[in-house]
Amino acid sequence: MARCKVKLVRIANASTRRTTLRKRLKGLMKKVRELTVLCGVEAAAVVFDPQDPLHPAAWPSRREAALSLQRFRALPEVERLRKMTSQEAFLRQRVAKVRDQLRRQQLANHELEMSALLFEGLSGRSLQDVSIENGYSLSLLVDNKLQEIAARRQELAMQLAVASAPPPLPPPPPSAPMPLQQNINWPPPFSSMITSPPVGAPAPGHDSHAAAGNLHNIDQFSGAKIDPFLWSDSLFS
């Protein structure tokens, strides 16, 4: 059977009240023990029973609770009051929170009223009876709506531009590698840069003056004449 929610009022029946106190007290002590284990803090709980005020229930024991209270009172006042919340401070925080919620709800309601007034004006209603405050709020609302419309138009224009853009060109095909025969024949052989001696030129071993003067232009191995211009171009090109 499901448990029903208990109203936070004093239980009239004394027997039921004692039973509830015993159950809730056991649960409270369990929560304090779990808090010390899970969070690693020092805590103590003391509950005074109006039926037996001289023997209050304490956790972990009356002696440990008294020592914890003494250590707390020995702290400086700044440390003791840093995170302490009294009933008055708690109520003030609650009031400030409720006031903030009320202010935000009023702003939301006012915006809804101005939106309804704007739609009525677009439908043909005369706005001559609108007050100065409502007229100013209505103008701000119109400006905000126009900015939202402009931002939406710009977003749609960008989406259309992206959708209508031509597809990117495919990458060019990779160039074909040079045939193996060309790789083997490159660079050209050295013999192609050597020209054969002209007809009537003296033999490599001739002792004439012209042969002696042009000895540096004749290959010593093949006896062929070397073109100096072609030789220099082949070296530095």
Side-chain angles (χ1 to χ4, degrees), residues 2-103:
R3 297 174 57 184
C4 59
K5 187 177 181 180
V6 180
K7 296 182 180 180
L8 294 179
V9 294
R10 187 176 184 272
I11 301 175
N13 192 339
S15 177
T16 306
R17 186 169 62 250
R18 294 289 302 173
T19 303
T20 303
L21 175 62
R22 184 172 62 255
K23 292 181 180 179
R24 296 298 177 93
L25 187 60
K26 184 179 179 181
L28 178 62
M29 299 305 177
K30 181 181 178 182
K31 293 297 182 183
V32 175
R33 182 180 63 83
E34 292 176 352
L35 184 64
T36 57
V37 174
L38 296 176
C39 301
V41 297
E42 182 182 358
V46 179
V47 180
F48 288 89
D49 186 1
Q51 301 295 332
D52 191 7
L54 299 180
H55 300 85
W59 188 92
S61 63
R62 296 179 183 176
R63 182 174 178 277
E64 293 293 336
L67 292 177
S68 299
L69 183 59
Q70 290 179 2
R71 286 192 292 270
F72 175 74
R73 290 178 176 176
L75 293 175
E77 186 177 1
V78 177
E79 293 293 332
R80 286 190 287 112
L81 300 179
R82 184 175 57 180
K83 296 184 179 181
M84 183 181 296
T85 302
S86 61
Q87 184 70 15
E88 182 180 0
F90 176 76
L91 292 178
R92 287 181 178 177
Q93 292 178 1
R94 293 293 301 174
V95 170
K97 185 177 180 179
V98 171
R99 286 180 178 175
D100 184 55
Q101 293 178 356
L102 178 61
R103 182 181 58 82

